[in-house]
């Protein structure tokens, strides 16, 4: 899919007041999530655009959602080394800072983490995707 096609989809989704669109073409899937206020104008490709475009995870992966509303971080702030890629059920795959409390986002089963879906330092809501996960 060309950038111009994606920009046209973003414009149509914004005008329709839709916050999420999943577009499938053959084996490819494009998910558009718009994080803007209703009166905020988006310009595709601009620095101020609140549109987040990401490809849906492959069939053998899943998204791990935030367990609460808070500020997401992939790594523990006191850890000297990054979080491991290979995890067991219950191991942290990220952390949420909720006021002065740090809460782990646990792995649902044994497996390995994939792409980080939420930027470090970004406020996420309950259930927002934060890490791609590949079950063992």
């Amino acid at each position: 899919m060309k950038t111009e096609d994606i920009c046209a989809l973003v414009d149509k989704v914004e005008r329709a007041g839709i916050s999420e669109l999943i577009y499938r073409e053959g084996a490819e899937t494009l998910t558009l999530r718009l994080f803007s206020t209703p009166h905020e104008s988006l310009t595709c490709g601009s620095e101020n655009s609140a549109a987040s475009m990401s490809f849906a995870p492959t069939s053998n992966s899943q998204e791990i959602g935030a367990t609460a509303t808070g500020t997401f971080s992939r790594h523990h702030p006191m850890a000297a080394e990054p979080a491991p890629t290979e995890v067991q059920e219950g191991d942290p795959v990220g952390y949420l800072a909720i006021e002065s409390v740090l809460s782990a986002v646990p792995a649902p089963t044994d497996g390995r983490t994939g792409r980080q879906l939420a930027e470090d330092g970004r406020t996420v809501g309950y259930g927002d995707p934060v890490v791609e996960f590949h079950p063992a």
Side-chain angles (χ1 to χ4, degrees):
M1 178 175 261
K2 296 180 182 177
T3 304
E4 298 84 26
D5 297 333
I6 295 172
C7 286
L9 278 174
V10 169
D11 291 338
K12 288 178 183 179
V13 167
E14 180 191 24
R15 282 192 307 249
I18 300 171
S19 62
E20 180 172 291
L21 170 77
I22 299 173
Y23 178 82
R24 290 186 178 91
E25 187 174 295
E28 294 182 347
T29 301
L30 175 72
T31 302
L32 298 175
R33 291 186 184 103
L34 301 182
F35 302 101
S36 64
T37 59
H39 301 290
E40 184 178 340
S41 176
L42 296 178
T43 305
C44 190
S46 76
E47 291 177 22
N48 298 328
S49 176
S52 170
M53 293 180 269
S54 62
F55 288 97
T58 58
S59 60
N60 63 344
S61 69
Q62 62 190 56
E63 294 176 343
I64 296 177
T67 53
T69 298
T71 305
F72 179 75
S73 176
R74 178 73 173 89
H75 303 57
H76 191 285
M78 302 297 285
E81 297 181 21
T85 304
E86 299 292 324
V87 294
Q88 294 180 342
E89 181 177 351
D91 286 352
V93 298
Y95 297 88
L96 291 170
I98 307 159
E99 294 189 15
S100 61
V101 176
L102 191 64
S103 175
V105 177
T109 62
D110 294 354
R112 64 180 174 78
T113 57
R115 295 178 302 131
Q116 182 172 326
L117 303 173
E119 294 178 32
D120 283 346
R122 178 173 165 237
T123 300
V124 295
Y126 176 81
D128 285 351
V130 293
V131 175
E132 184 180 66
F133 183 73
H134 305 273

